[in-house]
Amino acid sequence: MSTTGTDSDAQTAAGLISRSHLGIEPFSLYRADSLTDAASMIASGAWAHAGGIDVAQRLRDGEAAPALVPLCKPGRGSPDGLDLLDEISLGDGVLFIGAAVTHARIETDQLVRAHRPDLADAWRTIGNVRIRSTGTMGGNLMAFDAGYDAAPILAAAGASLIFADADGSQRRCAVADRPRDRLLVGCEIPLAGRIVYDRSLKPVVSVAVGDECVAIGCAYQEVEVLPAGATDPPEVGVALAELPDPIGDAFASAAYRRRMISVLVNRCLQSHIETVGSDEAEETGVSARPTAPASAPSSAEKLRGDTAAPAGRPAKTLPDALAGDAADDSIDIAIRLNGEPFPISAPPSEMLVDTIRTRAGLGGTRVGCDQAVCGACTVLMDDTPTASCSTFAWQTDGREVLTIEASHMAETGAPTADPAATLPIVQWAFAELSAFQCGYCTPGLILTASALLARHRDPDRTTVCDWLDSNICRCTGYLMVIEAVEAAAAALRLESGPAPDETP
């Protein structure tokens, strides 16, 4: 394909036509030093970057960002003054979840599982293991894609969203009323209540049914919220009849979507009834739930303190903070790649997959769908499966990245519970059981399986399938792959005994 015009035109065309990370328009990176600073930048037109999966997709689709404002610093934790965004805590009758909390953490967090296990169950179904480990609740909501999961889940749960303004004030709103030019700090979810979420028909429709409302995703430009829920099923039927026509597109016609909305709503209502009945029957056997210390300030009180504008220093604006040509910017990045230091200087728009393939010359990391879905680009970042096609290189600063070429690390005394130690055994099992053909997807499968077995030495088949269900293989089928993972698990148990049983 030939392109005409300037280099910028060609990059935009590449982004629109091939959705390639190579066509991303250059942008600047701005690290805020306070919540007010970040809110001011976003109000001026910069994009918030939490997990980055949704941001990367928007950029690949041809949108241009003047700047990204990371809400999480490379490595672990948040920038100074933004720790609240990475918090899960209890308040007065509510559960607070910060905007930068990952999907995987919501799924496994002790407070969430103790007080709103229905939310943990719903979050377990989101995306795939790579998306859950990187994507965040806030990034999902601030992307404003009707197909994303956080909006219907939180809307059905009756959550309030908390946004920070550039002047240090805050505002609360419902999920359906969230503003586009403000920094999402987090959400508050009532401790009382129950939701059931069904995304089995995405991208046609997804449905979340709560006690007082029903939320519908995918079928409209924004999440649609019905003012009736599981406590009044007849009113839900009335509200369904009054819904406007859904959108019709390549995925489904409007008529089919309307029919499937009804099917999923009725399915979720029935499941909600069964779930609540089961909970009531077991109520006397429930153990005490963790509570917040009596002296601990609420998240709202912390927010009011953290958003106060620093005395004598005005909030920055986008033109002042980001003067210069973004294309000429570069960032010093200190990656540990396969156990060795790998310092580079790269533009903010460089994806990790290009760093690995072009700069390091490691060809085992492949580019497949370029949308964090197929698994061909999988690497392990801090032992967690990560989509390198949707991860910027600067996100890996100070972190450990493993590729399929890391198998030699097992000979250097890596702990047995380290994926680098399980990697050669998984490779052996794949070879013994012929769990590959063309090999294009195989590195991603092996790395994902190695991360699983490092956490859970004796996974059942359901767990294996849950971890690997988004690693797409066009040649082999999946039975041999599953059997190879089970064989590797058995070999690891024989070699070193069972590892501590961790929830994957």
Side-chain angles (χ1 to χ4, degrees):
M1 181 186 71
S2 63
T3 57
T4 59
T6 65
D7 290 342
S8 178
D9 292 335
Q11 288 172 331
T12 302
L16 290 171
I17 295 171
S18 69
R19 301 162 70 96
S20 171
H21 58 278
L22 298 176
I24 289 178
E25 293 279 10
F27 57 81
S28 293
L29 198 65
Y30 179 78
R31 298 193 184 280
D33 55 19
S34 69
L35 205 58
T36 302
D37 194 15
S40 177
M41 293 296 296
I42 291 166
S44 299
W47 293 11
H49 181 285
I53 298 288
D54 301 324
V55 167
Q57 187 58 52
R58 291 175 62 188
L59 292 170
R60 279 194 296 261
D61 284 344
E63 293 188 60
L68 297 188
V69 181
L71 302 183
C72 295
K73 69 181 178 183
R76 304 183 186 277
S78 301
D80 293 340
L82 297 178
D83 291 341
L84 185 62
L85 304 181
D86 197 42
E87 178 181 306
I88 297 178
S89 61
L90 291 178
D92 185 11
V94 296
L95 178 70
F96 175 83
I97 300 177
V101 173
T102 64
H103 301 311
R105 188 172 158 209
I106 296 174
E107 172 193 345
T108 59
D109 184 81
Q110 180 184 7
L111 285 178
V112 179
R113 297 208 67 85
H115 294 272
R116 289 301 304 259
D118 53 319
L119 295 180
D121 291 342
W123 247 274
R124 183 176 177 79
T125 68
I126 290 179
N128 57 54
V129 66
R130 297 177 301 279
I131 288 175
R132 290 197 297 273
S133 67
T134 305
T136 62
M137 181 277 292
N140 207 230
L141 283 174
M142 288 187 283
F144 284 89
D145 189 307
Y148 292 152
D149 297 275
I153 293 173
L154 293 175
S160 296
L161 304 184
I162 305 172
F163 287 84
D165 284 322
D167 62 0
S169 63
Q170 61 174 284
R171 68 174 73 179
R172 280 173 166 76
C173 66
V175 173
D177 299 326
R178 61 196 188 278
R180 292 179 178 269
D181 58 348
R182 294 294 182 268
L183 171 63
L184 177 64
V185 175
C187 66
E188 290 183 336
I189 307 163
L191 296 181
R194 175 75 57 182
I195 70 155
V196 174
Y197 183 53
D198 192 328
R199 69 191 300 276
S200 61
L201 293 183
K202 286 189 68 176
V204 173
V205 63
S206 62
V207 166
V209 170
D211 294 357
E212 305 297 335
C213 67
V214 171
I216 301 166
C218 300
Y220 298 90
Q221 296 298 333
E222 301 278 353
V223 61
E224 187 76 18
V225 181
L226 307 183
T231 57
D232 195 350
E235 283 299 315
V236 174
V238 173
L240 282 175
E242 297 175 351
L243 273 175
D245 287 336
I247 58 176
D249 56 22
F251 294 113
S253 66
Y256 181 73
R257 275 198 168 93
R258 180 176 284 279
R259 172 60 181 152
M260 291 304 102
I261 289 171
S262 178
V263 168
L264 289 195
V265 167
N266 288 327
R267 183 187 297 175
C268 288
L269 283 170
Q270 181 61 37
S271 180
H272 191 286
I273 292 170
E274 294 170 356
T275 302
V276 171
S278 175
D279 288 347
E280 291 175 350
E282 298 177 3
E283 186 68 27
T284 57
V286 175
S287 59
R289 294 176 172 180
T291 57
S295 59
S298 69
S299 296
E301 290 171 339
K302 290 183 181 180
L303 178 59
R304 280 191 288 271
D306 287 350
T307 55
R313 200 189 78 176
K316 296 175 182 175
T317 61
L318 189 59
D320 293 334
L322 301 170
D325 186 357
D328 295 332
D329 291 345
S330 62
I331 302 170
D332 293 331
I333 305 165
I335 308 172
R336 283 190 59 82
L337 184 59
N338 294 335
E340 300 291 336
F342 190 72
I344 64 169
S345 182
S349 59
E350 181 169 316
M351 287 295 181
L352 177 59
V353 68
D354 293 313
T355 303
I356 293 170
R357 290 181 61 85
T358 304
R359 294 180 184 268
L362 301 178
T365 304
R366 277 63 184 269
V367 178
C369 68
D370 219 14
Q371 299 177 55
V373 173
C374 76
C377 71
T378 300
V379 298
L380 301 185
M381 186 160 66
D382 291 344
D383 300 338
T384 300
T386 302
S388 62
C389 77
S390 298
T391 302
F392 294 107
W394 54 264
Q395 291 178 256
T396 65
D397 189 30
R399 307 182 76 166
E400 182 77 47
V401 176
L402 299 182
T403 71
I404 193 64
E405 292 86 357
S407 58
H408 72 280
M409 290 180 62
E411 302 171 2
T412 65
T416 307
D418 191 314
T422 66
L423 183 56
I425 296 177
V426 176
Q427 287 177 310
W428 163 83
F430 269 65
E432 280 291 304
L433 294 168
S434 300
F436 61 91
Q437 284 188 31
C438 80
Y440 198 83
C441 68
T442 307
L445 284 163
I446 290 175
L447 285 165
T448 303
S450 298
L452 166 61
L453 296 182
R455 290 165 169 79
H456 193 6
R457 193 54 52 79
D458 190 16
D460 57 26
R461 183 159 288 195
T462 299
T463 301
V464 173
C465 292
D466 180 54
W467 272 65
L468 298 181
D469 67 356
S470 63
N471 286 78
I472 297 172
C473 176
R474 299 300 189 192
C475 304
T476 317
Y478 298 96
L479 181 58
M480 289 182 288
V481 170
I482 294 168
E483 290 174 343
V485 177
E486 292 172 339
L492 284 165
R493 292 195 301 273
L494 285 174
E495 181 180 272
S496 59
D501 186 10
E502 299 182 23
T503 302

